Amino acid sequence: MTQSMSGRGGSGRGYGLHHHHHHSALCCLSAAPPLPGDATPTLPLAPDPAAAAAAASGAAVAVEGVLHKWTNYGRGWRERWFSLRDGVLSYSKIRAGAGAGAAEEDGEVRLIGSRVGGARHTEKPTGVVSLKVSAFRESKSDDRRFYIFSPTKTLHLKTHSKDDRVAWIEALILARSVYSLRSLSGRVTFVQCDVSISTARLRDRMHQEGLNENLIQDCEQIVLSEFSSYRKQLKRRYEDYLSLFGSCRHNFEEGKDGSITQGELTRNDFSSSRHGNFSEYSTTESDEFEKNDGGELICEEETPFFDSVDYFIESDNRSSTMLSDQEVVDTQTQDSSDRLPQIRRRTRLPEPTEKEKGISLWSIIKDSVGKDLTRVCLPVYFNEPLSSLQKCFEDLEYSYLLDQAYQYGKMGNSLMRILKVAAFAISGYASSVARPCKPFNPLLGETYEADYPDRGVRFFAEKVSHHPMLIACHCEGKGWKFWGDSNLKSKFWGQSIQVEPVGILTVEFDDGEIFQWNKVTTTIHNLILGKLYCSHHGTMHIKGNRQYSCKLKFKEPSLLDRNPHLVQGFVEDNDGSKASFLIGKWDESMYYSNSDTFKVRSADQLKGASLLWEKNKPAPNPTRYNLSSFAITLNELTPGLQEKLPPTDSRLRPDQHHLENGEYEKANAEKLRLERRQRMSTKLQDNGWKPRWFEQDTDDGTYRYKGGYWETREKGHWDGCLDIFGEFVET
């Protein structure tokens, strides 16, 4: 129960709940009820005495009490009954009624805070969090509030008093200490207290058949011997898991990318009243998190904890086979990436040189209600240091999904190919969460290139029309090509902006299979009052030219929504038969299953649900723009790149460059100058201006890449490219 101790202190720290799953593989046995008719157990599977004592010391005392839990903006803070037992925190709704506040259970129960008068909690928990794979942290701004982070949810909790918060934090630390990373070094042995084997039913049945006692005892011995052998196999498997996770921890502590490692976190300790020193863990920058305190991360009421090891136990044979295929595909795509040249890219934006000044958005756009927002000029304060061309490439952050889709097709697995394409189509929305600023509107003829050999992709985009504003892009990957053009029609309606994307996105694999889909509607809410956030809603149809197509429904948000960002859908063949179902959240992860997802709210409730895609971890330095680690690299001028770029590339746009450096006055002045120049673009377009790298298809009106950009770049001859960011000289 010892903790790492060093002298660093201060409030607002976090507490590390170490990430491993070695008990999960055995929970189905320990939780199983005894078989009907069982007598006294014949073969108790006794644990190691020392391990049992260690486990009992932390788990014998259960902790219970009432906490306020943040639900959503419609319902606010609600009281819930929380129970902490055996390293698992569960919570239930409270209902009025006579009787004790908690059901009596074996073992001592410690209450924190006062009971609600006559309150009782419902017997079935509405939520469960395993402390093995969670972290928790106190609020800096409120001495009654704290947070618990798990892989599937974030709990925002508030106690009745400051002392109650101290007591809960200490209880959480005590509970998780049983499952500390010391077990990964093999110091916790195989504990299986609750499993017992009875042969009573077998003996009764054999007596009915009139078998003699000697034969019955022989059969009993065979059964007990088999179960003893089974337990030994489980123990070996368990020790393999410990060895695996121990090696993972070792690799993690080495910190290959220079970021904060788990080892460093363990050395940074927390010190506060009555706490002593405890190891620190935080999933986010403290200051950034406090700005969003109690807001963006909405907790779910009825989502059980979903454990990846539980999935491996529960999945049927078909799912296991598909998973092994997935491991093959993932390994192939990863290995090929490792062989490609690596470009060292930045992990944070430059430090701002000036202090920002807040501006009222309402004062700027109150006269623009009902207008096309692309024609409304906003100060640079409302922009992020990326252009819409770069945002197009940001949709390809998870391009490895298309690499995997290509590999599946080569293996003859057409169903997994379209599932991966569907996951890719959804993944493009993941980075839009809590992005408060709009991208720069490109100038006519502005371009953007992205050559990422480590990812195996080469992307190019150009603004091909000013009014209507059209952007065309083309990307080449490992066995696939992706292209499309996008016309964003936006309207401002007082408290919100609605953006309607018009255009088709296409993926074509080298074997000739093609998938096309449309993007869904995006709405940006709370422009004037409340916390700014965006939602995506509508139906996305992914149409294939061969066996399968897919339909995805992005759930429309509502005020009392307890399960936001939900996406559900299905894959069907040419006969209309449903081949697979999808469920997940566009800002978290997507799963597929053989079971219909229509009546379930999350993948946690599906037996055998298999992971298709999961969002990357947030950037350690997201800045006020809340950029992902991938987005931070998009506007970077890596060494030697500037000499190769055409004068039209977004990285060379001066107002965007000044904003990235935090030079806000210079950025504003340049933005005004370029917007004056942009007004001349309509004249250019009317006089017959044509895009340099894309041409319009005469049949459907879409823009297709006509080639030549990368060849011209190789030669370094950009003759004919306009200096669109320079001074405009009217002729």
Side-chain angles (χ1 to χ4, degrees):
M1 303 272 289
T2 58
Q3 300 289 336
S4 160
M5 301 180 67
S6 67
R8 184 174 160 182
S11 60
R13 302 294 183 198
Y15 310 85
L17 301 182
H18 307 298
H19 293 58
H20 58 288
H21 299 74
H22 56 271
H23 288 286
S24 302
L26 310 171
C27 62
C28 56
L29 293 177
S30 60
L35 296 171
D38 278 0
T40 56
T42 308
L43 177 64
L45 300 184
D48 179 88
S57 66
V61 179
V63 176
E64 294 186 345
V66 176
L67 290 172
H68 294 270
K69 174 179 173 294
W70 175 260
T71 54
N72 54 43
Y73 284 108
R75 303 176 70 243
W77 294 95
R78 296 284 170 150
E79 286 188 331
R80 296 287 183 264
W81 187 272
F82 279 76
S83 177
L84 177 58
R85 293 175 181 271
D86 300 323
V88 175
L89 182 70
S90 61
Y91 54 93
S92 313
K93 292 183 179 179
I94 295 176
R95 58 183 173 86
E104 292 299 323
E105 298 188 36
D106 294 336
E108 182 184 345
V109 176
R110 175 191 169 204
L111 289 170
I112 296 180
S114 58
R115 288 174 184 264
V116 177
R120 297 185 65 191
H121 64 86
T122 55
E123 292 183 4
K124 182 181 179 182
T126 55
V128 177
V129 174
S130 174
L131 299 189
K132 296 178 297 182
V133 287
S134 299
F136 51 95
R137 184 174 70 75
E138 290 180 331
S139 168
K140 289 199 302 183
S141 58
D142 187 337
D143 60 11
R144 296 186 301 142
R145 195 182 302 185
F146 64 100
Y147 315 98
I148 297 179
F149 306 92
S150 81
T152 57
K153 68 182 74 175
T154 297
L155 298 181
H156 294 233
L157 304 173
K158 190 162 61 174
T159 58
H160 289 286
S161 69
K162 179 180 179 180
D163 289 342
D164 285 353
R165 184 178 77 170
V166 172
W168 272 106
I169 292 294
E170 289 179 342
L172 289 167
I173 293 170
L174 182 64
R176 73 98 197 270
S177 64
V178 180
Y179 304 101
S180 71
L181 277 175
R182 288 173 297 160
S183 64
L184 297 181
S185 303
R187 299 181 190 177
V188 176
T189 52
F190 185 74
V191 180
Q192 197 62 41
C193 308
D194 303 328
V195 177
S196 60
I197 306 302
S198 171
T199 58
R201 293 173 62 197
L202 176 65
R203 171 179 284 276
D204 292 345
R205 183 73 183 85
M206 296 176 81
H207 272 307
Q208 291 175 13
E209 293 296 324
L211 300 176
N212 64 54
E213 183 64 23
N214 289 337
L215 181 57
I216 292 175
Q217 289 181 4
D218 286 346
C219 291
E220 271 187 316
Q221 197 57 44
I222 292 171
V223 170
L224 296 178
S225 175
E226 286 296 316
F227 272 105
S228 178
S229 175
Y230 175 65
R231 179 180 179 273
K232 290 177 182 176
Q233 292 177 41
L234 274 183
K235 182 176 180 180
R236 281 197 298 270
R237 180 70 59 87
Y238 173 78
E239 289 168 349
D240 289 343
Y241 281 141
L242 291 185
S243 175
L244 170 64
F245 284 113
S247 63
C248 289
R249 181 190 66 154
H250 176 72
N251 291 336
F252 179 50
E253 287 181 339
E254 289 186 0
K256 298 176 181 178
D257 59 355
S259 61
I260 298 175
T261 66
Q262 184 72 24
E264 290 170 339
L265 291 172
T266 307
R267 290 191 291 273
N268 295 323
D269 295 329
F270 175 81
S271 177
S272 184
S273 59
R274 294 178 54 191
H275 284 167
N277 294 319
F278 302 107
S279 60
E280 169 182 318
Y281 179 88
S282 178
T283 61
T284 179
E285 293 279 310
S286 298
D287 294 340
E288 287 294 320
F289 191 84
E290 290 300 329
K291 292 176 185 176
N292 301 327
D293 214 356
E296 184 64 28
L297 297 171
I298 296 175
C299 305
E300 314 216 351
E301 289 294 332
E302 298 178 0
T303 306
F305 179 74
F306 182 74
D307 194 302
S308 59
V309 181
D310 293 341
Y311 156 67
F312 286 114
I313 295 170
E314 294 173 357
S315 59
D316 56 9
N317 291 333
R318 183 170 179 272
S319 298
S320 299
T321 302
M322 297 177 84
L323 186 71
S324 62
D325 288 346
Q326 186 170 347
E327 290 173 347
V328 171
V329 170
D330 291 352
T331 302
Q332 289 176 346
T333 54
Q334 181 63 42
D335 288 347
S336 59
S337 297
D338 292 341
R339 289 194 298 269
L340 291 164
Q342 302 289 319
I343 298 176
R344 185 172 181 84
R345 302 185 189 275
R346 66 185 180 188
T347 57
R348 61 189 305 156
L349 294 181
E351 289 295 326
T353 58
E354 301 172 17
K355 189 175 181 180
E356 294 172 298
K357 298 176 182 178
I359 303 173
S360 168
L361 182 60
W362 175 244
S363 66
I364 302 294
I365 56 179
K366 62 185 178 182
D367 299 324
S368 306
V369 175
K371 295 181 182 178
D372 184 348
L373 202 71
T374 58
R375 296 174 180 262
V376 178
C377 298
L378 297 176
V380 74
Y381 176 81
F382 298 108
N383 287 95
E384 62 183 13
L386 294 174
S387 74
S388 295
L389 298 169
Q390 292 164 316
K391 290 279 283 187
C392 286
F393 181 55
E394 194 175 356
D395 285 356
L396 281 102
E397 176 175 358
Y398 302 94
S399 60
Y400 69 84
L401 293 167
L402 295 180
D403 300 341
Q404 294 171 1
Y406 173 64
Q407 293 293 339
Y408 277 121
K410 283 178 63 178
M411 295 162 59
N413 195 337
S414 300
L415 178 57
M416 278 304 298
R417 172 175 278 189
I418 191 170
L419 285 169
K420 286 292 183 178
V421 170
F424 169 77
I426 296 165
S427 70
Y429 294 99
S431 63
S432 63
V433 175
R435 289 281 280 273
C437 300
K438 67 183 288 288
F440 281 87
N441 184 7
L443 305 185
L444 186 65
E446 187 173 332
T447 63
Y448 176 70
E449 69 160 62
D451 187 9
Y452 280 60
D454 52 323
R455 293 172 177 261
V457 297
R458 200 165 63 167
F459 172 91
F460 179 73
E462 181 180 14
K463 181 172 179 179
V464 295
S465 172
H466 185 53
H467 285 303
M469 195 190 96
L470 279 173
I471 291 171
C473 68
H474 180 86
C475 185
E476 299 170 0
K478 303 172 189 174
W480 53 268
K481 291 182 178 66
F482 169 83
W483 69 86
D485 54 29
S486 174
N487 176 14
L488 296 178
K489 293 183 177 179
S490 57
K491 291 289 184 180
F492 170 55
W493 298 117
Q495 179 72 335
S496 64
I497 297 172
Q498 187 163 304
V499 181
E500 297 279 356
V502 180
I504 299 295
L505 301 177
T506 303
V507 166
E508 181 178 4
F509 294 99
D510 286 358
D511 55 19
E513 188 165 17
I514 297 173
F515 295 98
Q516 293 185 311
W517 66 92
N518 58 291
K519 301 200 85 171
V520 296
T521 301
T522 296
T523 302
I524 303 169
H525 305 267
N526 292 346
L527 289 174
I528 303 162
L529 295 173
K531 185 177 179 61
L532 200 72
Y533 72 97
C534 75
S535 64
H536 308 290
H537 46 93
T539 303
M540 177 185 287
H541 294 272
I542 303 176
K543 299 174 183 177
N545 66 340
R546 290 186 183 171
Q547 186 177 359
Y548 294 111
S549 61
C550 180
K551 183 177 181 181
L552 298 166
K553 177 73 174 178
F554 287 65
K555 183 181 177 183
E556 187 119 16
S558 62
L559 183 62
L560 301 178
D561 194 358
R562 293 163 60 185
N563 196 28
H565 308 165
L566 182 67
V567 181
Q568 291 174 290
F570 57 84
V571 173
E572 61 181 1
D573 58 24
N574 294 332
D575 299 327
S577 300
K578 292 181 173 60
S580 189
F581 299 88
L582 298 98
I583 189 170
K585 294 186 176 185
W586 51 259
D587 64 327
E588 289 183 3
S589 56
M590 288 300 299
Y591 293 80
Y592 71 93
S593 172
N594 301 325
S595 305
D596 195 338
T597 61
F598 180 72
K599 293 183 179 180
V600 298
R601 295 184 177 182
S602 69
D604 307 5
Q605 301 168 7
L606 280 178
K607 182 177 181 181
S610 305
L611 183 67
L612 270 176
W613 157 79
E614 188 171 31
K615 182 182 177 181
N616 292 331
K617 293 180 180 179
N621 303 293
T623 73
R624 77 170 179 91
Y625 308 110
N626 205 27
L627 299 180
S628 66
S629 297
F630 180 63
I632 286 172
T633 69
L634 300 184
N635 198 49
E636 180 184 12
L637 281 166
T638 53
L641 178 61
Q642 185 166 352
E643 294 75 20
K644 300 177 182 178
L645 293 176
T648 54
D649 194 276
S650 295
R651 296 177 183 86
L652 306 179
R653 179 169 173 160
D655 52 354
Q656 187 172 310
H657 183 69
H658 287 312
L659 177 62
E660 181 179 273
N661 291 330
E663 301 166 328
Y664 304 111
E665 290 194 11
K666 290 181 180 179
N668 255 323
E670 283 294 321
K671 189 169 189 284
L672 290 172
R673 178 183 71 81
L674 291 174
E675 281 171 350
R676 286 196 297 270
R677 172 166 183 155
Q678 179 81 316
R679 296 185 189 104
M680 305 296 178
S681 299
T682 305
K683 293 182 181 179
L684 279 175
Q685 200 167 334
D686 292 342
N687 292 334
W689 179 90
K690 298 291 183 186
R692 174 79 182 265
W693 310 106
F694 289 82
E695 57 187 358
Q696 196 168 18
D697 192 301
T698 53
D699 296 331
D700 57 12
T702 60
Y703 283 86
R704 294 289 300 273
Y705 177 59
K706 60 184 179 182
Y709 175 83
W710 298 103
E711 293 77 7
T712 305
R713 183 185 189 272
E714 191 68 29
K715 297 174 183 175
H717 296 151
W718 298 113
D719 300 337
C721 286
L722 297 175
D723 182 15
I724 60 174
F725 303 131
E727 293 294 333
F728 183 79
V729 180
E730 192 167 358
T731 55

